[in-house]
Each structure stands twice: as structure tokens, then as C-alpha cells.
């Protein structure tokens, strides 16, 4: 074993890079401490990725400290050599292969010593941060659009794609089986995948029950590829649901087989409830402990098995004990318990005792890693009676509900008095508000029409114009209907059933707890904007520590130190859930989840770095093939965090700009990638062996098309600013939000270079683009391919071998 200082010294040696030798570890840490005062801040990958001293290409100009680069330019003459493309690709490839994320965390040595009391808790915190770091925001199941299984009905709530996706990070998980129930006249068990080759439901072939704990081995007798993925067979039954030791013949739910997971996988899109759910699953809990659906930003989460200590379903085994849901309402204390051995439910707790870290750490059980905080505008109320006009009731009910609950004076109170709860209320005049919302021609369709007209495609332009007019006419008709309704300001009592999650609902979980001080670190979907706001507000000349999020100013990243918890508006706070002690060894879980495949695709684009002008098509130099975010081995997982680390200080970062665009697969492609064992499937294998069976989705001949079969999720790049705080550092460029399976759109002023988007549309999934300056014809393509590492070839071996890569950490 090496000390942290020795490992930093080895990692920071100028191995193959240009410029002066790097500072010794002690000097490096001293300089780092002086330049970036961490104070009480927790370990953060958000800053570690750019704080870690990285090697630089030959010819790099360094700053006054001799450590941080300032500039590196590729000479004009080299901008026409295919080797320039190869150098950038090789640099990224070797940084990812040779220098793992473990070394990136070494810059956090100070915070680690201040915060860490349990090494295994720290291993878990780092692993769970890495696998979801930078994921885009959206609806988990809908974003992958794997099918709704039409023609079936009567599903229990637990049957959905999210349950299946969540289970793919467990060391053991249940594969539901599809069967027709003659008794209940429905079909159960559609949301599962047999294999990447057959991405369809697994048929129920269970005839007799297997004894509990007898999990069978793979047909070929092989086991998991390494010890970190081995799971004891006796941990859980292998089939179910069971009753009195026998398999139920026709239950009101799908039957299932339990299997070992030697191919874990994670998404690249989550919302707050999904992020919090992964905070539990990665600690060894099962989706069944979260009532098979995962956490929700709702009061009802407090009744889940993980907190009650009681099985979510009668046939399930008891969940781990020792968790507790702390509630603010005596009326709901039947949902707040510490498990079956806890006796009577504990009394309600004052919200200050939960949201103030110092007080929450004194509870029993106390606030700890994995703890969740839930904010729900209705605070768990089941129904509410409001006096609304017909327009308010039919057209803007959720908007009214949010205004009503915003009048709450006491955090967590379910009973709220507002203007809308007054019996003699008269609705306001909405006419002026509606006039401002009069529908207009869709600007996106207008843009498409102009492009088509400019290209001389008049027939398509007219079709698009007719589509736009039809959409406008429908909008105007609905708008006129609403204006007519709003003329009547009379109100009547409306009883609203509060089943739907309201806007403003939120949930986040605790990533770390300071070993001495009353401080916590949260994993939250809003940490990116929170971190940048804090950096911007600091009275320092150089906010370079926030370089990773400065451009996008949002993002799912690890948070800062907090002594109080809350999303700003805390009146909707409805409870805190402390999970039981982890049922699995956290060190083993950390090793396991770091082997998870990110279910996504990527392309690398290399461009000239524009100065202040908008990027033009001629600036695009190279587009790689579409590739999976993982390779053939368990260690080859190209997470967004790993790629951010990989693009640090790329050759020519002053005048050449690397872009990595991550995509979400959709439909049958997504199903094949999510399937257990899908790591072995390359895109070429999918197109040759799977796609021909799905001509209605993938065409004939089959093709993968941007915005149809895969959608953009996140874009990252690095900085060319010639300042030591920024030069060569990685940062987020933009992301897309996908809600309810929509097509999504980029945030932050559409910071998505049109020249890149157009070139991606033009370049076939299995093709590359290179600028004519690098040559034309087959010879140029062969030369570029010969310089391309296999990670950019979607698993195909590099023609020259990846050992020729020239990058250094």
C-alpha cells in the first residue's frame, strides 16, 4: 500500500508529457491548499476532476507555479495531419485506461481526513457519485422509451420499466415473467428483457417451486468474472411469490425468478426521486424494500418497507430492520415507525429537529448517509376542498393548488387556509393573463420552413407550414374556449383528490456526514446551480474552482457542506427517512457498482476552437463513430465523470476543442442494451442480429437515426482560456431535459453549436467524418482509423493497438 502522498506523487509525475517536472506531492498539496482553500467543504468530484494536476502535451506553456498549464497550440501545418486527430483520441483513451478515478480523488485528501470516519462509507460515497455524476435530468422510464406494452391491463403499480432499471444495480434481482392470467383476465410480467439478442419479455416457464436458496449456476457452469460480483446463493429465494413454501400458481402479480447480477447497469438520466432511490439500492437494499417502485417525492414514501420494517408484500421476506420515518404529523404516525420491534410509533418531531443537522444527529436513529428528506407541497394531505371557478377547475387546477399550499404558515401542515379555501370567494379576472398567452406560430416549425425553402424543397416546406397552421388553429380554439370560461367568476366547492405529485415536490439524500461537525453533504439534482451560485458569490478574483459547472450552471453533481437542509421553500417539508444499517458490505458494494455499465452512447467531435464568432461548418474537423459508453470488460465503463477527466489538457486545447456528446438509446436498442449480458453486444452486432427483426422500428435496411433511435443527453468539452484557473479544464456545455418521454431540449440558452448538430445528423452511426484538409478517399479514412483507439470504434480492436497511445495523466 502507498500513502496518499506517495500515490499523488506517482500520479502527478510528468509521464510522457511536456513542460517542467511536476511538483513533489508535498509541495503540490501545499500549493493546492493555498490556491483552493477547501475549509469545511466535503470531498467533491466536482472540483477534484479539475483540481488534480494533470500532465500536458509536449510544448505546453505553464503558469507561474510550474504546475498548471496556460496554453498549448497545434501548429497550423499540423492541422492537416491525421496524426493530430489520433493524438487527441489517444490522449483521452490513455487517461481513461491508465489513470482511474481513484487517483482523481487524491486532491481531496484534506476533506477526506476532515470528513471520513468509516473508510467503507467513503468508498461507497465515491462510487455512487461517479456512476451518476453529470447525468441529465428527466423521466427515467420514459426517456429510454422501451415500450408501453399495449393491449394489457390490470398491472400492479410495481410493473414498469423503472422497477426493472432499478433492479439492474442490485447484486441479486428478480426477473419478472410474463404470463396470461385466465383467472384475472390480464397479462402480467411484461416489463423485463430476456436477452440482448431477444429483447422481449421472459416467458413464465415455472412449473414447480424450487427450494429456498437454491440458485442455479449458468448453463455452462461458469460463474461471475470476479469475486466482487459473487453473491451467496442463500441470500434470497430464487422464485416467487411463495406461500407456505410453494409457488403460487396464479397470483395477482407476475411470478419471478431471482438471479445473480454479474452485469450491473445504470442510467444516464434521472430525476430527484431516481437519484435518491439509487442512494438506497447502492447501499445493498433491494427495490422490494422500496415497495418495488422506488422513492417518490411524496409523503407516502414514509410508509415504505425500508422504514416500516414490514414486508411490502405478504409473501416477501422482512426487510432490514432499524430504519425510521420521522413525521411531522400525529395524524400520520401510523406511517412512522422504527420497525416491528420498535413498539408504538414515535411522536411527531419538530421540523427544526430534522432540518437542522446538529439536532438531527441526536435522534435515534440519527441522520446518516442514505437518509432522505422529502418535500411535498401538499405535505401528505389526501384531499382538499377549494372554491374555484369553472376556468380554474378545468384549466389551471395544479397552478391553483400550488398557490393554495404556498399560503401554508407552518412547515408540514396539511390543513392550509388560503384565499381559495374561502366559501364566498370570487375568482379574479384572468382575461389580461390569457391575452398575453395567445398562441402564436411555432418558432421551431418556422425555422424548419425557412430552411426547407432556402434549400428549394417547397413541397416539404408547404407540408410543414400546413402542420404549423393546424397546430396553431387547435391552440387558438382551446385558447378561445378558456377565455370564454374565464368570463364567469362564480365559484363552487371542488373536492380535489391529491393523488398526483405536484410541481415543487422534491427529494434528496445524504451522501456524507462530517465525522465531528454538524455538517452534511447532499446528493441532489440542484447541486450544480447551487455550487456555481456560491462560487460566484465568493469574494475571490478567480472562481476557477467552479470551472466544471461555470458554463452550464446546473447539473447533477455532489453538493457542498450544509448545516441545514432544505430546497429554499421548506413549508412543504413532510418528513425525513433514516434507512437501516446497510444489509451488504459497503466496500463490496462500492466495487460492484463501479463495474456498472452506463446505458448510453457517445460520439467525440473535434473542432477548431472559435474565438468569439459562432462556430461554422468548416470548423468541424472530425466526428467519431457512435459508440457505447462501455467496453467489453467490467472495468471499461466510460462514465460522464470518467470522460470529463479524460478530456483534461487534450493536445492543442488552445486552438482545438474536443466535444463529447452523450446520447440515450431509445426503443428496442435501449432494451437490448439494458438486458442482462448486454455488455457483449456491440452496435454492429445489434444491427446485424437484432435490428432485422424490428423493421417497423429500425427500417429496412435497418438504420440508427439521431432524434429517433438515440437522443442527445449531455455535452462536455474543455476550456481554451489562457488562464491557469481554466486552461485545459473540463466543463459541462449543456444538457437536455426529458420529462414524460418528450423529445427534450437543451438548457441554458441552447448552448449547442448548430454546426456540430448538423454534422452529427449527416454522419451515419457507423461512419466517421473528417475535414477534407486531412485528405480524401479511402486512404485518409484508413489512416485515421489506424490511429483510432478501440473505445472510439465501439469495441473493435484498434488497427495499431491501444498500447501506442501517447497521453499521460
Amino acid at each position: 500500500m502507498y500513502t496518499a502522498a506517495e500515490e499523488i506523487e506517482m500520479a502527478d509525475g510528468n509521464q510522457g508529457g511536456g513542460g517542467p517536472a511536476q511538483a513533489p506531492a508535498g509541495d503540490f498539496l501545499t500549493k493546492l491548499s493555498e490556491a483552493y482553500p477547501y475549509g469545511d467543504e466535503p470531498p467533491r468530484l466536482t472540483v477534484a476532476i479539475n483540481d488534480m494536476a494533470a500532465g500536458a502535451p509536449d510544448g505546453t506553456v505553464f503558469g507561474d507555479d510550474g504546475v498548471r498549464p496556460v496554453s498549448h497550440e497545434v501548429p497550423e501545418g499540423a492541422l492537416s495531419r491525421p496524426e493530430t486527430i489520433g493524438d487527441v483520441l489517444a490522449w483521452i483513451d490513455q487517461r481513461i485506461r491508465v489513470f482511474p478515478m481513484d487517483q482523481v480523488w487524491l486532491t481531496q485528501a484534506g476533506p477526506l481526513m476532515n470528513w471520513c470516519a468509516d473508510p467503507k462509507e467513503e468508498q461507497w460515497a465515491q462510487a455512487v457519485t461517479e456512476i451518476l455524476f453529470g447525468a441529465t435530468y428527466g423521466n427515467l422510464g420514459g426517456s429510454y422509451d422501451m415500450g408501453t406494452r399495449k393491449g394489457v391491463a390490470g398491472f400492479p403499480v410495481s410493473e414498469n420499466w423503472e422497477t426493472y432499471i432499478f433492479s439492474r444495480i442490485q447484486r441479486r434481482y428478480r426477473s419478472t415473467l410474463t404470463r396470461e392470467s385466465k383467472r384475472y383476465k390480464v397479462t402480467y410480467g411484461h416489463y423485463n428483457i430476456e436477452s440482448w439478442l431477444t429483447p422481449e419479455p421472459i416467458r413464465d416457464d415455472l412449473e414447480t417451486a424450487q427450494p429456498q436458496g437454491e440458485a442455479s449456476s449458468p448453463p455452462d457452469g461458469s460463474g461471475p468474472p470476479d469475486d466482487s460480483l459473487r453473491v451467496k446463493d442463500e441470500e434470497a429465494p430464487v422464485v416467487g411469490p411463495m406461500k407456505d413454501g410453494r409457488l403460487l400458481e396464479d397470483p395477482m402479480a407476475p411470478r419471478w425468478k431471482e438471479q445473480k447480477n454479474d452485469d450491473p447497469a445504470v442510467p444516464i438520466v434521472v430525476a430527484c426521486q431516481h437519484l435518491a432511490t439509487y442512494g438506497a439500492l447502492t447501499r445493498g437494499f433491494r427495490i422490494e424494500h422500496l415497495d418495488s417502485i422506488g422513492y417518490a417525492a411524496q409523503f407516502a414514501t414514509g410508509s415504505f418497507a425500508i422504514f416500516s420494517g414490514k414486508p411490502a408484500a405478504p409473501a416477501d421476506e422482512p426487510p432490514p430492520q432499524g430504519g425510521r420515518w420521522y413525521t411531522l404529523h400525529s395524524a400520520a404516525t401510523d406511517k412512522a415507525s422504527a420497525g416491528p420491534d420498535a413498539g408504538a410509533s414515535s411522536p411527531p418531531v419538530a421540523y427544526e429537529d430534522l432540518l437542522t443537522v446538529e439536532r438531527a444527529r441526536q435522534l435515534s436513529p440519527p441522520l446518516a448517509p442514505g437518509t432522505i428528506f422529502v418535500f411535498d407541497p401538499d405535505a401528505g394531505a389526501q384531499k382538499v376542498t377549494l372554491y374555484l371557478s369553472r376556468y380554474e377547475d378545468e384549466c389551471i387546477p395544479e397552478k391553483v393548488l400550488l398557490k393554495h399550499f404556498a399560503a401554508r404558515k407552518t412547515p408540514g401542515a396539511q390543513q392550509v387556509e388560503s384565499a381559495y379555501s374561502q366559501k364566498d370567494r370570487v375568482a379574479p379576472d384572468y382575461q389580461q393573463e390569457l391575452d398575453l398567452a395567445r398562441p402564436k406560430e411555432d418558432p421551431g416549425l418556422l425555422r424548419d420552413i425557412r430552411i426547407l425553402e432556402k434549400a428549394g424543397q417547397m413541397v416539404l416546406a408547404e407540408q410543414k407550414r400546413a402542420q404549423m397552421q393546424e397546430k396553431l388553429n387547435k391552440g387558438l380554439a382551446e385558447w378561445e374556449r378558456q377565455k370564454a370560461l374565464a368570463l364567469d367568476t362564480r365559484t363552487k366547492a371542488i373536492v380535489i383528490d391529491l393523488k398526483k405529485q405536484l410541481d415543487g415536490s422534491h427529494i434528496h439524500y445524504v451522501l456524507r456526514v462530517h465525522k465531528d461537525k454538524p455538517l452534511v453533504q447532499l446528493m441532489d439534482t440542484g447541486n450544480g446551480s447551487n455550487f456555481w451560485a456560491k462560487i460566484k458569490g465568493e469574494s475571490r478574483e478567480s472562481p476557477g474552482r467552479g470551472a466544471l459547472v461555470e458554463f452550464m450552471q446546473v447539473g447533477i453533481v455532489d453538493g457542498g457542506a450544509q448545516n441545514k437542509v432544505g430546497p429554499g421553500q421548506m413549508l412543504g417539508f413532510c418528513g425525513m427517512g433514516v434507512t437501516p444499517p446497510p444489509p451488504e458490505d459497503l466496500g463490496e458494494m462500492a466495487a460492484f457498482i463501479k463495474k456498472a455499465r452506463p446505458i448510453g452512447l457517445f460520439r467525440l467531435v473535434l473542432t477548431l476552437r472559435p474565438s468569439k464568432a459562432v462556430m461554422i461548418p468548416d470548423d468541424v474537423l472530425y466526428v467519431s463513430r457512435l459508440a457505447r459508453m462501455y467496453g467489453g470488460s467490467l472495468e471499461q465503463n466510460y462514465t460522464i465523470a470518467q470522460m470529463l477527466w479524460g478530456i483534461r489538457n487534450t493536445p492543442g486545447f488552445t486552438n482545438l476543442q474536443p466535444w463529447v456528446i452523450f446520447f440515450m438509446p431509445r426503443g428496442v436498442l435501449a432494451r437490448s442494451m439494458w438486458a442482462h449480458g448486454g455488455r457483449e453486444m456491440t452496435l454492429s452486432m445489434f444491427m446485424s442480429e437484432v435490428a432485422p427483426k424490428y423493421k417497423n422500428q429500425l427500417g429496412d435496411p435497418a438504420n440508427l437515426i439521431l432524434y429517433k433511435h438515440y437522443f442527445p443527453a449531455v455535452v462536455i468539452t474543455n476550456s481554451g482560456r489562457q488562464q491557469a484557473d481554466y486552461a485545459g479544464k473540463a466543463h459541462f456545455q449543456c444538457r437536455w431535459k426529458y420529462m414524460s418521454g418528450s423529445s427534450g431540449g437543451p438548457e441554458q440558452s441552447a448552448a449547442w453549436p448548430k454546426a456540430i448538430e448538423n454534422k452529427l445528423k449527416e454522419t451515419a452511426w457507423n461512419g466517421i467524418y473528417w475535414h477534407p484538409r486531412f485528405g480524401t478517399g479511402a486512404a485518409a479514412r484508413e489512416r485515421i482509423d489506424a490511429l483510432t483507439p478501440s473505445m472510439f470504434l465501439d469495441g473493435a480492436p484498434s488497427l495499431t493497438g491501444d498500447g501506442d497511445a501517447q497521453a499521460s495523466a
Side-chain angles (χ1 to χ4, degrees):
M1 293 292 292
Y2 296 100
T3 65
E6 288 171 334
E7 289 184 347
I8 291 175
E9 188 168 356
M10 289 189 295
D12 290 341
N14 197 38
Q15 304 165 19
Q22 307 256 351
D27 291 344
F28 169 71
L29 287 174
T30 301
K31 291 182 179 181
L32 188 65
S33 178
E34 293 169 354
Y36 301 97
Y38 287 112
D40 285 330
E41 286 298 306
R44 299 188 74 172
L45 195 56
T46 313
V47 295
I49 286 173
N50 282 325
D51 277 3
M52 184 67 182
D58 290 332
T60 294
V61 177
F62 287 84
D64 294 339
D65 58 8
V67 174
R68 295 182 294 168
V70 172
S71 68
H72 183 266
E73 293 194 40
V74 172
E76 181 64 31
L79 291 177
S80 299
R81 297 174 60 245
E83 286 75 13
T84 297
I85 296 174
D87 286 347
V88 174
L89 300 181
W91 182 274
I92 296 170
D93 173 70
Q94 189 172 8
R95 283 179 61 80
I96 289 175
R97 286 191 301 110
V98 179
F99 300 95
M101 295 301 292
D102 294 347
Q103 295 189 4
V104 178
W105 288 100
L106 293 176
T107 62
Q108 305 299 290
L112 284 169
M113 288 186 288
N114 291 337
W115 281 70
C116 178
D118 182 343
K120 291 187 176 182
E121 281 282 6
E122 181 55 33
Q123 291 172 29
W124 166 79
Q126 292 182 17
V128 73
T129 299
E130 290 174 24
I131 62 171
L132 292 169
F133 189 87
T136 194
Y137 187 93
N139 176 282
L140 177 55
S143 295
Y144 285 101
D145 193 26
M146 293 195 285
T148 56
R149 307 304 195 193
K150 295 179 181 179
V152 294
F155 282 154
V157 70
S158 60
E159 280 213 62
N160 55 62
W161 282 120
E162 292 188 359
T163 299
Y164 173 80
I165 290 171
F166 285 139
S167 72
R168 296 289 285 106
I169 197 62
Q170 296 175 187
R171 298 179 77 189
R172 295 189 71 94
Y173 71 97
R174 295 176 180 177
S175 287
T176 57
L177 308 174
T178 185
R179 65 181 175 84
E180 296 179 2
S181 172
K182 296 179 180 179
R183 179 181 178 187
Y184 300 110
K185 298 181 180 180
V186 295
T187 301
Y188 289 119
H190 267 289
Y191 292 86
N192 59 71
I193 304 166
E194 181 177 333
S195 68
W196 69 263
L197 191 59
T198 307
E200 293 296 329
I202 308 171
R203 297 299 302 177
D204 187 340
D205 60 355
L206 298 179
E207 297 297 335
T208 57
Q210 298 181 46
Q212 302 247 338
E214 292 186 4
S216 58
S217 299
D220 62 358
S222 63
D226 63 53
D227 289 339
S228 70
L229 296 179
R230 296 185 185 276
V231 186
K232 293 181 181 179
D233 290 349
E234 65 271 13
E235 288 182 4
V238 295
V239 296
M242 308 278 287
K243 184 176 181 180
D244 299 327
R246 298 187 63 82
L247 179 69
L248 293 178
E249 184 177 346
D250 192 16
M252 294 181 63
R255 300 198 297 185
W256 45 263
K257 289 181 181 179
E258 187 168 287
Q259 66 183 74
K260 299 176 183 179
N261 186 3
D262 55 8
D263 178 33
V266 290
I268 63 168
V269 54
V270 290
C272 62
Q273 67 271 25
H274 312 125
L275 190 65
T277 296
Y278 277 105
L281 300 180
T282 54
R283 294 177 69 78
F285 297 102
R286 302 165 59 97
I287 192 62
E288 291 79 28
H289 301 150
L290 279 65
D291 287 27
S292 295
I293 56 176
Y295 287 141
Q298 293 180 310
F299 184 83
T301 291
S303 65
F304 282 6
I306 195 171
F307 303 121
S308 72
K310 302 174 183 177
D316 278 351
E317 61 185 23
Q321 305 297 297
R324 173 164 297 180
W325 174 258
Y326 289 98
T327 182
L328 294 133
H329 295 288
S330 57
T333 51
D334 60 315
K335 294 184 178 182
S337 75
D341 299 327
S345 299
S346 58
V349 180
Y351 75 93
E352 296 94 337
D353 289 343
L354 302 179
L355 296 177
T356 304
V357 174
E358 186 171 14
R359 297 190 190 185
R361 293 185 69 172
Q362 297 173 10
L363 298 170
S364 180
L367 176 150
T371 294
I372 62 168
F373 293 85
V374 178
F375 301 82
D376 185 354
D378 63 34
Q382 302 298 307
K383 295 181 179 180
V384 62
T385 299
L386 302 180
Y387 292 85
L388 308 178
S389 68
R390 188 179 171 190
Y391 166 72
E392 291 169 331
D393 180 33
E394 295 183 16
C395 304
I396 56 170
E398 184 160 328
K399 182 178 180 180
V400 168
L401 277 172
L402 291 174
K403 287 185 176 181
H404 167 69
F405 287 120
R408 180 185 287 113
K409 294 181 174 58
T410 304
Q414 293 181 352
Q415 301 300 321
V416 178
E417 291 294 325
S418 76
Y420 298 98
S421 60
Q422 304 307 309
K423 186 174 182 179
D424 298 326
R425 174 178 175 268
V426 176
D429 182 0
Y430 288 100
Q431 295 300 315
Q432 184 176 4
E433 181 179 314
L434 283 165
D435 286 340
L436 293 173
R438 180 186 175 92
K440 299 177 182 179
E441 293 178 329
D442 188 313
L445 291 175
L446 269 177
R447 184 188 66 238
D448 292 344
I449 291 168
R450 294 191 187 101
I451 292 173
L452 290 170
E453 289 176 340
K454 188 175 180 180
Q457 301 183 40
M458 305 310 295
V459 174
L460 289 176
E462 284 304 313
Q463 291 175 351
K464 189 74 72 172
R465 190 177 296 280
Q467 177 186 347
M468 180 182 69
Q469 190 60 47
E470 181 183 5
K471 180 179 179 181
L472 178 61
N473 291 341
K474 288 182 179 179
L476 286 170
E478 174 60 20
W479 175 76
E480 289 170 355
R481 184 186 78 86
Q482 293 189 15
K483 276 186 67 75
L485 286 178
L487 291 172
D488 185 357
T489 60
R490 294 173 298 173
T491 63
K492 67 176 183 179
I494 304 292
V495 179
I496 302 175
D497 195 349
L498 299 169
K499 292 182 178 179
K500 182 181 177 183
Q501 182 172 300
L502 299 175
D503 286 344
S505 301
H506 192 58
I507 180 172
H508 44 212
Y509 76 93
V510 175
L511 185 64
R512 292 181 178 89
V513 178
H514 197 290
K515 66 180 181 181
D516 300 317
K517 298 182 179 181
L519 297 171
V520 295
Q521 179 187 27
L522 301 178
M523 196 65 181
D524 189 9
T525 54
N527 281 339
S529 56
N530 295 337
F531 180 48
W532 175 245
K534 179 180 178 182
I535 290 290
K536 191 175 180 181
E538 290 180 355
S539 56
R540 294 192 289 123
E541 294 181 3
S542 301
R545 187 163 171 251
L548 193 78
V549 296
E550 179 174 348
F551 190 89
M552 195 165 75
Q553 298 186 21
V554 294
I556 297 175
V557 298
D558 37 5
Q562 298 181 217
N563 58 17
K564 293 183 178 180
V565 178
Q569 169 56 274
M570 296 188 294
L571 295 177
F573 176 61
C574 60
M576 179 182 90
V578 177
T579 59
E584 303 239 16
D585 182 279
L586 286 181
E588 294 179 8
M589 281 302 301
F592 174 77
I593 62 179
K594 290 185 77 165
K595 293 177 172 61
R597 294 185 285 127
I599 302 302
L601 307 164
F602 78 93
R603 281 187 123 149
L604 182 128
V605 178
L606 187 64
T607 70
L608 293 175
R609 191 181 293 278
S611 53
K612 294 183 179 179
V614 175
M615 184 182 295
I616 60 175
D618 198 51
D619 290 332
V620 181
L621 302 179
Y622 170 77
V623 177
S624 72
R625 290 169 176 79
L626 187 66
R628 301 158 302 153
M629 290 176 65
Y630 50 86
S633 75
L634 290 168
E635 288 71 33
Q636 292 176 317
N637 299 307
Y638 314 132
T639 63
I640 295 175
Q642 192 96 48
M643 287 292 214
L644 284 161
W645 169 241
I647 62 174
R648 284 280 309 278
N649 297 350
T650 49
F653 61 80
T654 303
N655 60 339
L656 289 180
Q657 188 166 7
W659 306 75
V660 182
I661 299 94
F662 300 97
F663 305 93
M664 292 181 303
R666 306 265 283 195
V668 65
L669 173 59
R671 294 207 303 271
S672 285
M673 291 179 69
W674 271 110
H676 186 270
R679 184 182 287 275
E680 70 178 5
M681 182 198 77
T682 64
L683 292 180
S684 295
M685 293 168 67
F686 172 81
M687 294 301 285
S688 63
E689 301 182 49
V690 180
K693 308 175 206 174
Y694 297 90
K695 295 178 181 178
N696 61 327
Q697 296 182 45
L698 295 161
D700 187 14
N703 195 10
L704 294 177
I705 301 171
L706 179 63
Y707 293 121
K708 184 175 182 181
H709 304 115
Y710 59 101
F711 281 64
V714 177
V715 179
I716 64 173
T717 185
N718 65 20
S719 176
R721 293 167 64 175
Q722 297 184 45
Q723 301 174 24
D725 280 330
Y726 292 95
K729 289 187 175 182
H731 68 81
F732 293 106
Q733 178 76 10
C734 68
R735 68 174 185 177
W736 284 252
K737 290 182 73 171
Y738 292 89
M739 304 309 298
S740 302
S742 67
S743 60
E747 296 182 312
Q748 295 300 312
S749 69
W752 170 233
K754 199 69 178 176
I756 291 179
E757 181 183 19
N758 290 337
K759 196 58 68 178
L760 289 172
K761 289 179 179 178
E762 296 168 8
T763 308
W765 67 272
N766 58 346
I768 64 172
Y769 165 80
W770 68 94
H771 195 284
R773 68 168 66 211
F774 296 108
T776 57
R781 180 191 182 99
E782 289 175 4
R783 180 58 184 151
I784 293 173
D785 279 349
L787 295 165
T788 303
S790 62
M791 70 172 288
F792 299 102
L793 298 172
D794 193 44
S798 173
L799 298 182
T800 58
D802 291 343
D804 294 336
Q806 302 170 18
S808 65

